[in-house]
Amino acid sequence: MSFLHFVEGPFFYFSAAVFVVFAIWRLVGIIRIGKKPDLAPPRGSAAAGFVKGNLRHFIPRAIFAERTWMHLVAGYAFHLGLFVVVFFAAPHILFLEERILGFGWPALPRWGFIIVAEIAIAGLIVLWVRRLSDPVMRLISDWDDHVGSWLTFLVMLTGCLAMQEAHDPLRAIHMLSVNIWLIYFPFSRLMHGFTFFLSRGATGASYGRKGMNP
Amino acid sequence: MVKLSFRLRPRCLTVALMAMLLSFAIAAPAVTQSSVRPPDDAVNTGQEPGLTAPLGSESDSDIWRRIKQGGAGATEGEAAVMPSVPGRPVNTFGTVLDELTAVQGGATSSSGHGRLIQTLGEDWRLIRRNYILPYTGWIFLGVVSLLALFYIVRGRIAIKEGRSGKMIYRFSMSHRIAHWFLAATFILMGLSGLIVLFGRTALVPLIGKEANAVLASAALQGHNLFGPVFILALLILIVRFMRGNFFQLVDLKWLLKAGGLLGGHASSYHYNFGEKSWYWIVVLVGLLMSATGLLLLFPWITDKLVWHQLSTILHAGGAILMICIALGHAYIGSIGMEGSLDSMLRGEVDENWAKEHHDLWYEQATGKSAGHDGDKDGAGDATAATEGAS
């Protein structure tokens, strides 16, 4: 078994299993924490607050617009770009179809994939630079944030370097970094990809129940 | 038992000797023509007209050289005429310039019209092999060595008065993000570009051809992909840092004092002469790199081969220039000078650092004197202006 077969085969299935099992385990754990019963009579809907809290946080409040526009743009560029690259790049769709799902869907043209990848990479670089440059961000960032950022960057970088699809070692390195990323994901702050709606929702529900705008 | 005997037969021996001499006589010219290469400066004494010498006393090499050089002649729809020889430029750069200045539709190597042999590719290859690779490589190594030597001799430049502990706001968040965004993409572009440029020369002996092929493929893909991101970062930096980077009279004084290296204090506003020069090099060379890079990334922009070849030359030259100066910039902005990194990392600098290196800006920013009033070359002007205004 070649190294490529190993990282695309057994190691990938193991990494994917760790990713799925422990991500679910953490989500269930968070949901099961629950909260203390609120004895005060409700003045609004907690469920509506949950939804509103999620939607409301997609756009910054006007008073913060000027000082947040840069990482807002970079944040959307990176996250949306990463989503599109992961799920709409032709090699990824083919891989998922062959290895897991058994079906595929239309892929982005190559030029579209390249543009989106560039946007995502630019966004990630700006976000990481901000993490270093902003005194508050620097203070609240620990090694987990940096490792998460760098692992994600490594996955994207190795993917870009393997774009010619002409050398097995480059593909193997990309898959290796993907596997490491999948294993690291559930145990790190990368989990915010799944938990953001819970935290936003919890805040929104709390405010909503009090009849306030989240 | 078999008895071996040898008897000399004079008649057979004579026949054999004659046959041998005859075969030598026949083979000698053929051997001379096929395996003995005349020296480059050999004088051709002329040949008989024939297939290999259609112009009689003209040598083959002269004829082929004329065909290669080209000139006035016809190649399409008319009988080919032996071109008049315009004289080939002795250096290959001349050929490239000839191609660039050729009138539209004229005879060029790019278009292929009017020439039987296209030599521009060979000229470009020679420029790349004989000039770009060795010289840029040595320049790069020279700069790295100079910086190491400077650090060994001069050491870290400390703040003379020591740190005051009071910080002054120098660069906004958007300045810092613009700077590091460009720096990050520049590092990616620089590393991948150096692998593409020097891989065959420097890496093949170390890692072998196979590994270099993989690395070169990866570097090329990365370089092409990060190129547009670099252009975006460059444009953001140009706009964000333009204010304050236009040259002033005080910069000339700074230059004459070599930034204080020749003794005395060299005053400057927010940016000194060196920083302004670096900014404009980034602007001009960066835009040149972007333009040539885009031409190489999208070769269909022009069908003139010479533009692509010129782009590779300018791209490589500009890259080495920027990388070398960036190394100096990174050195002085980090380990080379105490307190410099704070400005781009935290956005703040120590007051004593500001007084020492950017006194006029310090006076503008704080309204206080930087304490260089004895320096008649500009320090204290801002204080006087501020006081005058108030």
Side-chain angles (χ1 to χ4, degrees), chain B residues 171-222:
Chain B
F171 285 119
S172 69
M173 177 62 71
S174 61
H175 276 100
R176 281 176 278 156
I177 288 179
H179 172 268
W180 290 114
F181 184 31
L182 184 67
T185 51
F186 183 79
I187 290 169
L188 290 167
M189 293 297 285
L191 284 175
S192 54
L194 286 174
I195 291 170
V196 172
L197 187 61
F198 294 116
R200 189 178 293 178
T201 316
L203 294 179
V204 166
L206 296 173
I207 60 175
K209 286 182 178 175
E210 284 289 320
N212 182 60
V214 174
L215 205 57
S217 165
L220 189 64
Q221 294 301 315

Side-chain angles (χ1 to χ4, degrees), chain A residues 118 129 133-134 160-161 164, chain B residues 173 176 180 217-218 225 228 345:
Chain A
E118 285 169 344
V129 164
S133 303
D134 189 316
C160 293
L161 300 186
Q164 201 177 21
Chain B
M173 177 62 71
R176 281 176 278 156
W180 290 114
S217 165
L225 196 108
L345 213 55

